[in-house]
Amino acid sequence: MVEARTPDWVKSAIFYQIFPDRFARSRSVPKPTNLERWDYPPTAHGFKGGDLVGVVERLDYLQSLGITALYFCPIFQSTANHRYHTHDFYQVDPILGGNRAFASLLDEAHRRGMRVVLDGVFNHASRGFYQFNHLLENGQASPYLDWFHVNGWPLHAYEGHRPPNYAAWWNIHALPKLNTHNPDVREFLLNVGQHWVEQGIDGWRLDVPNEIDDDEFWREFRRRVKGVNPDAYIVGEIWGDAHRWLHGDQFDAVMNYPITRACLGFFARETLDNNAALGTGYGHIERLDGAGFAATISNVLSRYPDEIAHAQLNLLGSHDTPRFATLARRDGRAYRLALLFLMTIPGAPCIYYGDEIGLEGGRDPDCRRGFPWQDDYHAGPQAHWDEDLLEYARRATSLRSTFPIFSRGNFAVLQTTDDLVVYARCWQDQIAVVALNAGKDFVRLEVPVSGFAADGSIFQSVWGTDDARVDNGALHGVAVPPRSGVALIGGV
């Protein structure tokens, strides 16, 4: 087994996920005329015209939010607004501003110390992908016949009463699956992975990588990517147990959806709308008490070596899920608690664009609404920001970036009740204690810290309470208001 080594920068990064068509658009990027109104509900096929120059113009905002890394949904040329139907893996979509806009984004992000991670869709392509289009035009005479898994002729490439007679992702006609057993296909995809790292990106988020059921492909992908930049981040979209890919020779980490589900089950348990979760990757979300939440989190964090656990991408939602605000029926306190939790546990926290201002959204495509910028180019009369939530998010990211213990320390549960979870982070000669109260009552705690901190130690409040002192093996007088959290740091 290879010893896991993950990029050090990821452990202290704060990510922000951007759906490019919906985040921001710039007046400087020419647009087609038939665009959806920015502030109207998104549709499955409509484009709103967001672009990468628009992202550049909002980097000040992202920096003020404490963001240090950007994760983009696909940006390559495509006829889908989500761009998971790739036409050309080497060309940034012209509606996004093309390769020149992306080069500008990379330069400006890196100048600010921000990393950039792209979405790699290597399992399938599209009907417009050159090699598949060649197949459509030339049938069995195409030299690219063995780039795909064809089961009959002529190709049933469009929706109707006939399913596709070739392998396609979820049997969707528009998404022909690439034949990665073909050495030419493998080399093509590996070169794409290498090329964009050579252009300066800081990593790949891999779309449905489990569907390329070939560990050696991913081992070679890692070798190619890390050969260009050993600090490039490789994170897979795996929704459950990921041991197979996390032995140090394939991915650095995965999207930590088990953490997401646990946060919804505990912090939003009183308001959780499970009907909104059905039909999504979440399925039914179990409501949790403090002990159940702590056990779930401890189990998830202990599944993998610390080197990997500290590089996991921890999130509260994504382009594939209903938004947290909607699942919690607009319970902003639940999101605040979950965000504070995310900022104080091992793994890189990731904010899905707009969650920090209370943006709502149900199942895809509703979870991909336009960001309601308060200007005449983007916003309609319904534009609204939860300014208090935004300020809370800024304080939470600042807490993590100010105190390295929250991104570097070990994790241990200290205490639980039905409504409460208290945990420690230990690093070097420090210990942090975090208490999160999901209940409706004010609590005053005596937190057991014997073995962590000596009697007489003073713990300084860094979030929402008074300083506290250790006596008789317990931290006394820790006051936690209802639906709130506190954090303190002391010496070992």
Side-chain angles (χ1 to χ4, degrees), residues 179-222:
N179 177 15
T180 52
H181 297 298
N182 180 337
D184 291 340
V185 175
R186 293 170 78 91
E187 190 62 22
F188 175 86
L189 296 174
L190 294 169
N191 282 337
V192 171
Q194 181 176 332
H195 169 80
W196 287 104
V197 178
E198 290 172 341
Q199 299 306 302
I201 72 167
D202 299 288
W204 287 104
R205 177 268 189 187
L206 303 173
D207 182 62
V208 294
N210 54 306
E211 298 196 26
I212 297 180
D213 189 14
D214 183 344
D215 293 349
E216 188 50 42
F217 175 85
W218 292 120
R219 291 187 184 108
E220 180 62 18
F221 183 88
R222 182 184 182 90

Side-chain angles (χ1 to χ4, degrees), residues 267-330:
F267 299 119
R269 62 182 177 172
E270 297 296 329
T271 55
L272 180 63
D273 183 359
N274 247 317
N275 287 330
L278 296 177
T280 74
Y282 287 146
H284 179 79
I285 299 171
E286 181 184 1
R287 287 176 168 83
L288 299 170
D289 61 12
F293 176 72
T296 300
I297 297 303
S298 296
N299 175 266
V300 171
L301 292 177
S302 64
R303 286 180 185 174
Y304 314 110
D306 284 350
E307 179 71 9
I308 290 172
H310 283 75
Q312 296 281 69
L313 190 67
N314 295 336
L315 63 160
L316 297 177
S318 75
H319 65 292
D320 284 327
T321 68
R323 288 186 179 266
F324 196 104
T326 296
L327 290 170
R329 292 189 173 97
R330 293 184 290 181

Side-chain angles (χ1 to χ4, degrees), residues 335-351:
Y335 181 77
R336 284 168 168 80
L337 275 170
L339 186 63
L340 180 59
F341 172 72
L342 222 61
M343 295 296 163
T344 54
I345 64 166
C350 182
I351 297 173

